[in-house]
Amino acid sequence: MPLDLDAIYVDLHRHPELSFQEHRTAGVISEHLTALGIPHETGVGRTGVVATLENGDGPVIWLRADTDGLPVPEQTGLDYASTARGVDPAGVDVPVMHACGHDMHITALLGALERLWTERGGWAGTIVALFQPAEEFGAGARAMLDDGLLDRFPRPEVVLGQHVTSTLPAGRLGARPGTQMAAAEGLTVTLHGRGGHGSRPHETIDPVVLAAATVMRLQTIVARETSAQDIAVVTVGSIHAGLKHNIIPAEATLELSLRYTTDDQRERLLSQVHRIVNAEAAASGVEVPPTFDGVFTLPPTINDEAATERVMGAFRAAFGEHDVVDPGLFTGSEDVSWFARDAGVPLVYWFWGGVDPEAYAAAVAAGTLGRDIPANHSPFYAPVMHPTIERGVDALVVAARAWLG
Amino acid sequence: MPLDLDAIYVDLHRHPELSFQEHRTAGVISEHLTALGIPHETGVGRTGVVATLENGDGPVIWLRADTDGLPVPEQTGLDYASTARGVDPAGVDVPVMHACGHDMHITALLGALERLWTERGGWAGTIVALFQPAEEFGAGARAMLDDGLLDRFPRPEVVLGQHVTSTLPAGRLGARPGTQMAAAEGLTVTLHGRGGHGSRPHETIDPVVLAAATVMRLQTIVARETSAQDIAVVTVGSIHAGLKHNIIPAEATLELSLRYTTDDQRERLLSQVHRIVNAEAAASGVEVPPTFDGVFTLPPTINDEAATERVMGAFRAAFGEHDVVDPGLFTGSEDVSWFARDAGVPLVYWFWGGVDPEAYAAAVAAGTLGRDIPANHSPFYAPVMHPTIERGVDALVVAARAWLG
Amino acid sequence: MPLDLDAIYVDLHRHPELSFQEHRTAGVISEHLTALGIPHETGVGRTGVVATLENGDGPVIWLRADTDGLPVPEQTGLDYASTARGVDPAGVDVPVMHACGHDMHITALLGALERLWTERGGWAGTIVALFQPAEEFGAGARAMLDDGLLDRFPRPEVVLGQHVTSTLPAGRLGARPGTQMAAAEGLTVTLHGRGGHGSRPHETIDPVVLAAATVMRLQTIVARETSAQDIAVVTVGSIHAGLKHNIIPAEATLELSLRYTTDDQRERLLSQVHRIVNAEAAASGVEVPPTFDGVFTLPPTINDEAATERVMGAFRAAFGEHDVVDPGLFTGSEDVSWFARDAGVPLVYWFWGGVDPEAYAAAVAAGTLGRDIPANHSPFYAPVMHPTIERGVDALVVAARAWLG
Amino acid sequence: MPLDLDAIYVDLHRHPELSFQEHRTAGVISEHLTALGIPHETGVGRTGVVATLENGDGPVIWLRADTDGLPVPEQTGLDYASTARGVDPAGVDVPVMHACGHDMHITALLGALERLWTERGGWAGTIVALFQPAEEFGAGARAMLDDGLLDRFPRPEVVLGQHVTSTLPAGRLGARPGTQMAAAEGLTVTLHGRGGHGSRPHETIDPVVLAAATVMRLQTIVARETSAQDIAVVTVGSIHAGLKHNIIPAEATLELSLRYTTDDQRERLLSQVHRIVNAEAAASGVEVPPTFDGVFTLPPTINDEAATERVMGAFRAAFGEHDVVDPGLFTGSEDVSWFARDAGVPLVYWFWGGVDPEAYAAAVAAGTLGRDIPANHSPFYAPVMHPTIERGVDALVVAARAWLG
């Protein structure tokens, strides 16, 4: 009995789960793989699922879909909208939504595996399908690799993946060779001052003023120390110090995220952040130097030139020139690169449109694309089901067969 | 049976309570007043106690002691050190300590009332004794006044109060005419930006950067807009914005406290803070102007010139010139002024030393007074019991009789 | 007698002149045009020269070279190095050097005119050659246009120009369709405070602190309010306030330059600068709002897509694929666009390499291109004469004949 | 023939001279001293004059008056207003005015010397009168001392001096024991960055941004690192960097002045300035550390307790309690202290009123004293001649005779 992809998508959309909590999701994936007769393992990297489609001699390729939802309160008004809730790492009960479209990623990969398995007379080699958890934490790919992925499953020649996007109409696909998505680095900086009474600041080393001076100085990394042609973002996403009006606290904490597109830039940005944070602390005359804690590293998503041309060529042949475009560079980040980096093989990561084509055309005509079409991560985000599902399935099949014949 | 002031002090020290939670404390006070046969009411201003000593025609005076402890973990090593705990307004369980010496204030006032009541043949008039809660919140005096203090009890000609201090040796007393303690104002500022993804700051109005720029600019109030001869402090005691590294939050909150010595300066400082906060928000192009919430106003503690001279003169006569000094202006703040302000009468508020005289002399000789002697509010703070208790009792009696004969 | 281009180049290199002072240079150009029998006018836009090569019915094209030197002390060590001096607009005597290669531009255009005039049997139409002064001031193109250029000379179908560059080896050429060079805007901001004695800042409105806060806040335009994918630079090139240590001045002056690539971005950046400057002044409580004076506007150098493809196609045909590249976007700025903008016709502006090919290859191999090869405007900058001159002449001829047959 | 003090004052007022250019002024002083038969030397410390009144055995005292004018355009409208001009150290022609009242100082000292010399039968000892140049530069006292003052003239037991002030009515006098005037320190800080093109800030180390960050951080010295009860001012009186809009300069210069009241505070402030400047330079990643150049040091003007009481007691006896007041601490600075410091003897420096008593009383009544009465250094400043001259003469005579009998 063929998979009912519409039903699968709606079911997944209704039941999103937070990162590393994708237990029901993994169960659904496993159930459908079992129905298809595809061997697979669950619990890889905590809540990941790995399916292996062995089909004679030939190349090994990896196909990857990510599976987690986000702590976003769905406001799409869809009749299959999520009302799910979850408990975030801080122990807080939050609403959960597939606001990034990972439900579509799972659906398309299941559909593609079904087609490829059904048509396995037409190709040869091995497909390893990765249903990866916790992409939103930037931690799931590493968890799977650290769980022995490369040793427990056939090593690939190429890693392929896709992301549904609010920036393209349904039916359209695209990838750019080279940097496709920016890298991201999260780090936590703790500034150590000396607390005291609010009326006697001269007996303290005020960490609030130190934190403020540091935030202002960090702006110069992008504004003065980065080429206008390079992509770099330094965001202080949180700042916390103190408990009350009239007590000067002893510490301040900054949570930073950095965006960049090359490994060199990562070194440069980290070095600049360290230089400025340490110097501002020295300007305050601190007794204890600042503490730096790395929280996550998402490498740049760099599409291999040759492999990307191979996939895009296959797309153009299958879907026509008109539906294969340069999607531009995305400043968001992904952890898919870890698979290709650890395996030492090329990556091809493309975007596939999920916007209703008529709404897209109208917004383009009105010049209101960015405003009218809810973006991934928005409470209003939802791809249209058709032809998004079909094109997502087709794209994976076409890309896979560019290697497997 | 006379009061055992040592035992009372030790008991109070062992059982400190947080602001507006001084239920046991009020019970202890009431029990001793009852034992002395002094009429009194409890529950005035939530956990305050008011005793009234009527003794024929004559002036009415108010004597005030404050009663609350602080969320400080006692580290004095005393055998009567506090191990008490309490629940602070945020619902957090915290250690509690009489780190500001209010246990000594209660003890001395009880001792003084005992003496005055016993010796009531020697004077005439009415003494109203205020055991005020929640001084550390800057809220207890207002709570008692708002509970009808001026209508329910005889109105005074003068308000007298005292504070034990780590800046004077036990035995020494002092007040300065005019401003004795600075005023304090607490206000909370909420800065409204626009949140978004950490990689796309240009779609946001970053409240972290806005908060940092505001904190830096606020420094200029004291550094550039205040006469070097005036006393002013602008402290940002807390700054909070954001939840994680790569999300730009929508809001930032600053908790400020201001110190000053005149009502004019209060107007000026508040106006400067508003001007800078609003302008910095405008520099960020905010869509919603900042919100200002007043949290507390502690007026300057201003000693009436004539009344202070009257008390100091009586002190000099009773204790000798050597033990009556100018203690200097304190930049800390008090809410005792509300009693005198609301009643429209003079205030005299003096300091009385609590430091072991030998340790004090040694520290003066070594030039290490500020470093060696733990200050009020420190986990190591504790006055020596003798002669601190005696001198505190004597001071109240001498001051009261400067009015009552 | 054919022109001796080497001698012309060396002579021009030895005798650079500052902007709008190119009197000798214009004389040299005029002398050679006269020798070639080409009709021309001098004094167009003060020190510009315009030659007109009429050659029957056909398109009109404009070829442009700029002619001025820079106040840079030549340190190339060449035997034909400049020792010239000039008087800058501030009246200061300064060294002068062709540090931007405009001597090469003149030489190549003279050589191209000679060739085209000699070979005028092979094409038809009209060439207007513009020897433009004062490009370094961003003022020469406007001066020629304001002097009636469009009315006094045949109007073009296309404007063509070229710049020699330290970023390509001699022999190589390139242009990119769309934005080729950034735009630039210069503006002067005067901040009005209130002066006074250095010991009494509270009686002043300190413009030094206001200027500092403004400079810090301006950093956020690029760091927080610009997409990481857009090109924008906000430079405060000068800051001036005050005369001595202990007097607080009444004013501060900031000289800003902005870089961007579209007219929309110009509006946005100017609006952001105004917003921040005005708000920071409000934060200081100024009595007189800041003054803004526009100083220069250099539009983005935008290559017409079709016309650029026409020229690049002709280059590829003439010089081979290998020597025609995408030179990348330059964040520097040019005033050549005014000719095409005022005429309402396409612009093609390409770069041509001037670096010794062996030195270039060595630097590429060593990864030290940016460090080892002196850049335009450096005291050490000098293109190699060969094949730079030949390729510059050829490029102009090939590009011109792409229109003229 | 007695001195015509009115005529002397009017003549000096009409002919002010800039610091170290007091040639005509020294000539006038010398002429009158000669007329009085008082031995004196000119040219002490360039343009200083020293008179010696030896009168038998007894104490030696120094009386000091300063003699220079200011580069201020007089706008008093007086018929004896100055129209003088001078050339300042930068070579600029400027208006000159006795805007600080030094003409009154000279006049009073001449009048006092006349009286004391005439009445020399009534006292015994030696008076050395110092007519000191260049007080406004903070350099004249040092110049005289460095010219051998202590070796060439009798060493004093006490140094006495006075300053006419807009804060007291004519007739009134006052000094406070201890710190009477703040100290001042001038230093120049040069920040070394790396220059470059305005469109390529990432290749530079932008000294404009570094200077701005430094100025903002310096605010925290007073705002956060100084007790609210201490007097401290950190003024950046000038900031200079850069020549034009689109060139990032290589250096920035800050001229700072510091105010404080004790030698300890000087050490602390200098150390704080160094710490912040060096750390901000480190935050910019400079290759060359900042340069610090001390420009002037004016010590605090500290009145010896006993000597001041001696003078004030004599004043009270001579002029009545009402006319001898505490003038408050002045945050301006003086170089008179060097005389006492170098000699190792007490200083008494008092203020004497110069405001028309009726205008003063009216302004006090209206609460507009600071606004209505032009202050020293203002273009509108002028003391009334009477009784200012008389009281200035009397004060010097009375003070001198407190030592000389």
Side-chain angles (χ1 to χ4, degrees):
Chain A
M1 191 174 63
L3 298 181
D4 179 346
L5 295 181
D6 281 20
I8 290 173
Y9 173 72
V10 164
D11 174 66
L12 290 168
H13 191 82
R14 274 201 176 114
H15 300 98
E17 294 171 301
L18 292 175
S19 303
F20 283 132
Q21 305 181 23
E22 309 89 339
H23 301 286
R24 181 187 184 281
T25 304
V28 168
I29 293 165
S30 176
E31 174 189 331
H32 293 302
L33 291 170
T34 300
L36 292 169
I38 297 175
H40 61 278
E41 293 189 33
T42 58
V44 182
R46 300 171 62 177
T47 43
V49 180
V50 180
T52 310
L53 288 66
E54 298 194 328
N55 188 28
D57 285 349
V60 179
I61 66 169
W62 283 6
L63 303 181
R64 178 267 204 174
D66 39 5
T67 64
D68 50 336
L70 281 164
V72 170
E74 179 153 359
Q75 301 181 40
T76 58
L78 293 168
D79 56 9
Y80 53 90
S82 163
T83 57
R85 301 191 69 85
V87 176
D88 77 8
V92 179
D93 178 78
V94 292
V96 188
M97 174 188 174
H98 265 304
C100 196
H102 296 184
D103 45 356
M104 187 59 81
H105 300 182
I106 301 167
T107 305
L109 183 51
L110 285 173
L113 295 183
E114 176 186 39
R115 175 102 57 83
L116 288 160
W117 196 232
T118 308
E119 301 174 356
R120 62 185 173 274
W123 57 273
T126 298
I127 295 167
V128 177
L130 312 172
F131 295 89
Q132 175 208 308
E135 186 276 334
E136 301 291 353
F137 277 8
R142 281 254 54 86
M144 294 182 79
L145 289 159
D146 294 347
D147 200 13
L149 194 68
L150 282 166
D151 296 328
R152 294 164 57 186
F153 302 93
R155 286 175 170 254
E157 284 186 19
V158 71
V159 175
L160 306 175
Q162 62 180 4
H163 204 301
V164 65
T165 178
S166 67
T167 63
L168 294 175
R172 203 165 288 172
L173 298 159
R176 53 165 40 190
T179 302
Q180 174 63 76
M181 297 185 73
E185 182 87 12
L187 72 160
T188 299
V189 174
T190 307
L191 302 167
H192 306 283
R194 187 170 65 223
H197 197 266
S199 69
R200 303 182 68 75
H202 58 291
E203 295 172 353
T204 75
I205 297 172
D206 185 340
V208 174
V209 169
L210 168 53
T214 302
V215 169
M216 292 309 290
R217 261 297 199 151
L218 288 171
Q219 306 310 311
T220 63
I221 294 177
V222 170
R224 299 273 86 192
E225 301 189 7
T226 300
S227 166
Q229 303 203 51
D230 286 345
I231 286 178
V233 183
V234 176
T235 286
V236 182
S238 89
I239 180 170
H240 292 286
L243 292 173
K244 55 188 294 193
H245 301 74
N246 60 342
I247 303 292
I248 297 169
E251 289 191 352
T253 306
L254 304 178
E255 290 184 313
L256 278 74
S257 63
L258 315 178
R259 302 276 161 169
Y260 47 90
T261 57
T262 69
D263 291 333
D264 278 358
Q265 287 174 327
R266 176 177 183 270
E267 292 311 305
R268 182 176 64 79
L269 282 169
L270 283 175
S271 147
Q272 289 164 322
V273 167
H274 280 247
R275 189 189 74 223
I276 285 174
V277 169
N278 283 324
E280 288 298 329
S284 284
V286 300
E287 292 149 344
V288 178
T291 313
F292 297 84
D293 295 300
V295 177
F296 59 81
T297 299
L298 300 181
T301 305
I302 298 177
N303 277 328
D304 179 79
E305 300 250 346
T308 302
E309 184 41 44
R310 191 166 176 175
V311 172
M312 292 302 111
F315 284 174
R316 278 190 291 266
F319 310 120
E321 293 275 345
H322 176 264
D323 274 346
V324 184
V325 298
D326 178 349
L329 187 152
F330 284 57
T331 49
S333 304
E334 257 288 344
D335 68 353
V336 68
S337 289
W338 286 124
F339 295 120
R341 289 194 168 218
D342 274 34
V345 302
L347 169 75
V348 186
Y349 194 72
W350 64 89
F351 287 90
W352 107 87
V355 184
D356 174 55
E358 283 184 29
Y360 186 88
V364 167
T368 56
L369 198 57
R371 202 184 326 144
D372 290 356
I373 309 292
N376 297 49
H377 286 216
S378 154
F380 299 95
Y381 176 72
V384 292
M385 286 173 61
H386 306 287
T388 307
I389 292 176
E390 293 80 355
R391 187 48 51 100
V393 171
D394 291 348
L396 284 169
V397 171
V398 167
R401 300 204 45 180
W403 267 265
L404 305 174
Chain B
M1 192 175 67
L3 299 180
D4 179 346
L5 294 180
D6 283 21
I8 291 173
Y9 173 73
V10 164
D11 174 67
L12 291 168
H13 191 83
R14 275 202 175 113
H15 299 100
E17 294 171 299
L18 292 174
S19 302
F20 284 133
Q21 304 181 25
E22 308 88 341
H23 300 287
R24 182 188 184 282
T25 304
V28 168
I29 292 165
S30 177
E31 175 189 330
H32 294 302
L33 290 170
T34 300
L36 292 169
I38 295 175
H40 60 280
E41 293 188 33
T42 58
V44 182
R46 300 173 61 179
T47 41
V49 180
V50 181
T52 309
L53 287 66
E54 298 193 332
N55 188 28
D57 286 348
V60 179
I61 66 168
W62 284 6
L63 303 181
R64 178 265 204 176
D66 39 3
T67 64
D68 50 334
L70 281 164
V72 170
E74 179 153 0
Q75 301 180 42
T76 58
L78 292 168
D79 56 11
Y80 53 90
S82 164
T83 57
R85 300 192 70 85
V87 176
D88 75 7
V92 180
D93 179 79
V94 292
V96 188
M97 173 187 177
H98 266 305
C100 196
H102 295 185
D103 45 355
M104 187 60 80
H105 301 183
I106 300 167
T107 305
L109 182 52
L110 285 172
L113 295 182
E114 177 186 38
R115 175 103 57 85
L116 287 160
W117 196 233
T118 306
E119 302 175 354
R120 63 183 173 277
W123 57 273
T126 299
I127 295 167
V128 178
L130 311 173
F131 294 89
Q132 176 209 307
E135 188 275 335
E136 301 291 353
F137 277 8
R142 281 253 54 85
M144 294 183 80
L145 288 159
D146 293 347
D147 200 12
L149 194 68
L150 283 165
D151 296 327
R152 294 165 57 187
F153 302 92
R155 287 177 170 251
E157 283 186 21
V158 69
V159 175
L160 306 175
Q162 63 180 3
H163 204 302
V164 66
T165 179
S166 66
T167 63
L168 293 176
R172 203 165 287 172
L173 299 159
R176 55 165 38 190
T179 301
Q180 173 62 76
M181 297 184 74
E185 181 88 13
L187 74 161
T188 299
V189 174
T190 308
L191 302 168
H192 305 283
R194 189 170 63 225
H197 197 268
S199 69
R200 303 182 68 74
H202 58 291
E203 295 172 352
T204 74
I205 298 172
D206 185 340
V208 174
V209 169
L210 168 53
T214 302
V215 169
M216 292 309 288
R217 261 299 200 149
L218 287 172
Q219 306 310 311
T220 63
I221 294 177
V222 169
R224 298 275 85 193
E225 302 189 5
T226 300
S227 166
Q229 304 203 48
D230 286 346
I231 286 178
V233 183
V234 176
T235 285
V236 181
S238 90
I239 181 170
H240 292 286
L243 292 173
K244 54 189 294 194
H245 302 73
N246 61 342
I247 302 291
I248 297 169
E251 288 191 353
T253 305
L254 305 177
E255 291 184 312
L256 279 73
S257 62
L258 315 178
R259 302 275 161 171
Y260 47 90
T261 56
T262 69
D263 292 332
D264 278 358
Q265 287 174 328
R266 176 176 183 267
E267 292 312 304
R268 181 175 67 77
L269 282 168
L270 283 174
S271 147
Q272 289 164 322
V273 167
H274 279 248
R275 188 188 74 221
I276 286 174
V277 169
N278 282 324
E280 288 299 327
S284 284
V286 300
E287 293 148 345
V288 178
T291 312
F292 297 84
D293 295 301
V295 177
F296 59 81
T297 300
L298 299 181
T301 303
I302 299 177
N303 277 329
D304 180 78
E305 300 249 346
T308 302
E309 185 40 45
R310 191 166 175 175
V311 172
M312 293 302 109
F315 283 176
R316 279 190 290 266
F319 311 120
E321 293 275 343
H322 176 265
D323 274 345
V324 183
V325 299
D326 177 351
L329 188 152
F330 283 59
T331 50
S333 303
E334 255 288 342
D335 68 353
V336 68
S337 288
W338 287 124
F339 295 120
R341 288 196 169 216
D342 275 34
V345 302
L347 170 75
V348 185
Y349 194 72
W350 64 89
F351 288 89
W352 106 89
V355 183
D356 173 56
E358 281 184 30
Y360 186 88
V364 167
T368 56
L369 197 56
R371 201 182 328 142
D372 290 355
I373 308 292
N376 296 51
H377 285 218
S378 154
F380 300 95
Y381 176 71
V384 293
M385 286 172 61
H386 305 287
T388 308
I389 292 176
E390 292 80 356
R391 186 49 50 99
V393 171
D394 291 348
L396 284 168
V397 170
V398 166
R401 298 200 51 175
W403 267 264
L404 304 174
Chain C
M1 189 175 67
L3 298 181
D4 179 347
L5 294 181
D6 282 19
I8 289 172
Y9 173 72
V10 164
D11 174 65
L12 291 168
H13 192 84
R14 274 199 175 116
H15 300 99
E17 294 171 301
L18 292 175
S19 301
F20 284 134
Q21 304 181 25
E22 310 89 341
H23 300 286
R24 180 185 183 282
T25 304
V28 167
I29 293 165
S30 175
E31 175 189 331
H32 293 303
L33 291 171
T34 300
L36 293 169
I38 296 175
H40 60 278
E41 292 189 34
T42 58
V44 182
R46 300 173 59 179
T47 43
V49 179
V50 180
T52 311
L53 286 67
E54 298 194 329
N55 188 27
D57 286 348
V60 179
I61 66 168
W62 284 6
L63 303 180
R64 178 266 205 175
D66 39 4
T67 64
D68 50 334
L70 281 165
V72 170
E74 180 153 358
Q75 301 180 41
T76 59
L78 292 168
D79 56 10
Y80 52 89
S82 165
T83 57
R85 300 192 70 84
V87 177
D88 76 7
V92 179
D93 179 78
V94 293
V96 188
M97 173 189 176
H98 265 304
C100 196
H102 294 185
D103 46 356
M104 187 60 81
H105 300 182
I106 300 167
T107 305
L109 183 51
L110 284 173
L113 294 183
E114 176 186 39
R115 174 102 59 82
L116 287 159
W117 197 233
T118 307
E119 301 175 356
R120 65 184 172 275
W123 57 274
T126 298
I127 295 167
V128 178
L130 311 173
F131 295 89
Q132 175 209 309
E135 187 275 334
E136 301 291 354
F137 277 7
R142 280 254 56 86
M144 293 182 80
L145 288 159
D146 294 347
D147 201 13
L149 194 69
L150 282 165
D151 296 327
R152 293 164 57 185
F153 302 93
R155 284 173 171 256
E157 283 187 20
V158 70
V159 175
L160 305 174
Q162 64 180 2
H163 204 301
V164 67
T165 178
S166 66
T167 63
L168 295 175
R172 203 164 289 171
L173 299 158
R176 54 165 38 188
T179 301
Q180 175 61 75
M181 297 185 73
E185 181 88 13
L187 73 160
T188 299
V189 174
T190 308
L191 302 167
H192 306 283
R194 188 171 63 225
H197 197 265
S199 68
R200 303 182 67 75
H202 58 292
E203 295 172 352
T204 74
I205 298 172
D206 185 340
V208 174
V209 169
L210 168 53
T214 302
V215 169
M216 293 310 287
R217 261 298 200 151
L218 287 171
Q219 306 309 311
T220 63
I221 294 177
V222 169
R224 298 274 87 191
E225 302 189 7
T226 300
S227 166
Q229 303 203 48
D230 286 346
I231 286 178
V233 182
V234 176
T235 286
V236 181
S238 90
I239 181 169
H240 292 286
L243 292 174
K244 56 190 293 193
H245 301 73
N246 61 342
I247 302 291
I248 297 169
E251 289 191 352
T253 305
L254 305 176
E255 291 184 312
L256 278 75
S257 62
L258 315 177
R259 302 277 161 169
Y260 47 91
T261 58
T262 70
D263 291 334
D264 277 0
Q265 287 174 327
R266 177 176 182 268
E267 292 311 306
R268 181 175 66 78
L269 282 169
L270 283 175
S271 148
Q272 289 164 321
V273 167
H274 279 248
R275 187 189 76 223
I276 285 174
V277 169
N278 283 324
E280 288 298 329
S284 284
V286 299
E287 292 148 345
V288 178
T291 312
F292 298 85
D293 294 301
V295 177
F296 58 80
T297 301
L298 299 181
T301 304
I302 299 177
N303 277 328
D304 180 79
E305 299 251 347
T308 302
E309 185 41 44
R310 191 167 177 174
V311 172
M312 291 302 110
F315 283 176
R316 278 190 290 266
F319 309 121
E321 292 276 343
H322 176 265
D323 274 346
V324 183
V325 298
D326 178 350
L329 187 152
F330 283 59
T331 50
S333 303
E334 255 288 343
D335 68 353
V336 67
S337 288
W338 286 124
F339 295 121
R341 288 196 168 215
D342 275 35
V345 302
L347 170 75
V348 186
Y349 195 71
W350 65 87
F351 287 90
W352 107 88
V355 183
D356 174 55
E358 284 185 27
Y360 186 87
V364 167
T368 56
L369 197 57
R371 201 183 329 143
D372 290 357
I373 309 293
N376 297 49
H377 285 217
S378 153
F380 299 95
Y381 176 72
V384 292
M385 286 174 60
H386 306 287
T388 307
I389 293 176
E390 293 79 355
R391 188 46 53 98
V393 171
D394 290 349
L396 284 169
V397 170
V398 167
R401 296 203 50 176
W403 267 264
L404 304 175
Chain D
M1 191 175 65
L3 298 181
D4 180 345
L5 295 180
D6 282 20
I8 290 173
Y9 174 72
V10 164
D11 174 66
L12 290 169
H13 192 83
R14 273 202 176 113
H15 299 100
E17 294 171 300
L18 291 174
S19 302
F20 283 133
Q21 305 181 23
E22 309 89 339
H23 300 288
R24 181 186 182 281
T25 304
V28 168
I29 293 164
S30 176
E31 175 188 330
H32 293 303
L33 290 171
T34 300
L36 292 170
I38 296 175
H40 60 279
E41 292 189 33
T42 58
V44 181
R46 298 171 62 179
T47 42
V49 179
V50 180
T52 309
L53 288 67
E54 299 193 329
N55 188 29
D57 284 349
V60 179
I61 66 169
W62 284 7
L63 303 180
R64 178 264 205 176
D66 39 4
T67 64
D68 50 334
L70 281 163
V72 170
E74 178 153 359
Q75 300 179 40
T76 58
L78 292 169
D79 57 9
Y80 53 88
S82 164
T83 57
R85 300 192 70 84
V87 176
D88 76 8
V92 179
D93 179 78
V94 292
V96 187
M97 174 187 174
H98 265 303
C100 198
H102 295 184
D103 44 355
M104 186 61 79
H105 301 181
I106 300 167
T107 304
L109 183 51
L110 284 173
L113 295 182
E114 177 185 38
R115 175 103 57 86
L116 287 160
W117 198 232
T118 304
E119 301 175 355
R120 65 185 172 276
W123 57 273
T126 299
I127 296 168
V128 178
L130 312 172
F131 295 88
Q132 176 209 308
E135 186 277 335
E136 301 291 353
F137 277 9
R142 281 253 55 85
M144 293 181 80
L145 288 158
D146 293 348
D147 200 13
L149 194 67
L150 282 166
D151 296 328
R152 294 164 57 187
F153 302 92
R155 285 176 171 252
E157 283 186 20
V158 70
V159 175
L160 306 174
Q162 62 180 2
H163 204 301
V164 67
T165 179
S166 66
T167 63
L168 294 176
R172 202 165 289 171
L173 299 159
R176 54 166 38 190
T179 301
Q180 174 62 75
M181 298 185 72
E185 181 88 12
L187 72 161
T188 299
V189 174
T190 306
L191 302 167
H192 306 283
R194 187 171 65 224
H197 197 265
S199 68
R200 303 182 68 74
H202 57 291
E203 295 172 352
T204 73
I205 297 172
D206 186 340
V208 174
V209 169
L210 169 53
T214 303
V215 169
M216 292 310 288
R217 261 300 199 150
L218 288 172
Q219 306 310 310
T220 63
I221 295 177
V222 170
R224 297 274 88 192
E225 302 188 6
T226 300
S227 166
Q229 303 202 49
D230 285 346
I231 286 178
V233 182
V234 176
T235 286
V236 181
S238 90
I239 180 169
H240 292 286
L243 291 173
K244 54 188 297 195
H245 301 74
N246 61 342
I247 303 292
I248 297 169
E251 288 191 354
T253 306
L254 305 177
E255 290 184 312
L256 279 74
S257 62
L258 315 177
R259 302 276 161 169
Y260 48 90
T261 57
T262 69
D263 291 333
D264 277 359
Q265 287 175 327
R266 175 175 184 269
E267 291 313 304
R268 182 176 64 80
L269 282 169
L270 283 174
S271 149
Q272 289 164 321
V273 167
H274 279 248
R275 187 189 75 222
I276 285 175
V277 168
N278 283 324
E280 288 299 326
S284 283
V286 300
E287 292 149 344
V288 179
T291 313
F292 297 84
D293 294 301
V295 177
F296 57 82
T297 300
L298 299 181
T301 304
I302 299 177
N303 277 327
D304 180 78
E305 300 250 348
T308 302
E309 185 41 44
R310 189 167 178 174
V311 171
M312 292 303 110
F315 284 176
R316 278 189 290 266
F319 310 121
E321 292 276 342
H322 176 266
D323 274 344
V324 183
V325 298
D326 178 349
L329 188 152
F330 284 59
T331 50
S333 303
E334 255 289 344
D335 67 353
V336 68
S337 289
W338 287 125
F339 294 120
R341 289 195 168 217
D342 275 35
V345 301
L347 170 74
V348 185
Y349 195 71
W350 64 89
F351 287 90
W352 107 87
V355 184
D356 174 54
E358 283 184 28
Y360 186 86
V364 167
T368 56
L369 197 58
R371 201 183 326 142
D372 290 357
I373 308 293
N376 296 50
H377 284 216
S378 153
F380 299 95
Y381 176 72
V384 293
M385 287 173 60
H386 304 288
T388 308
I389 292 176
E390 292 81 356
R391 186 50 49 100
V393 170
D394 290 348
L396 284 168
V397 170
V398 167
R401 297 200 53 176
W403 268 263
L404 305 174

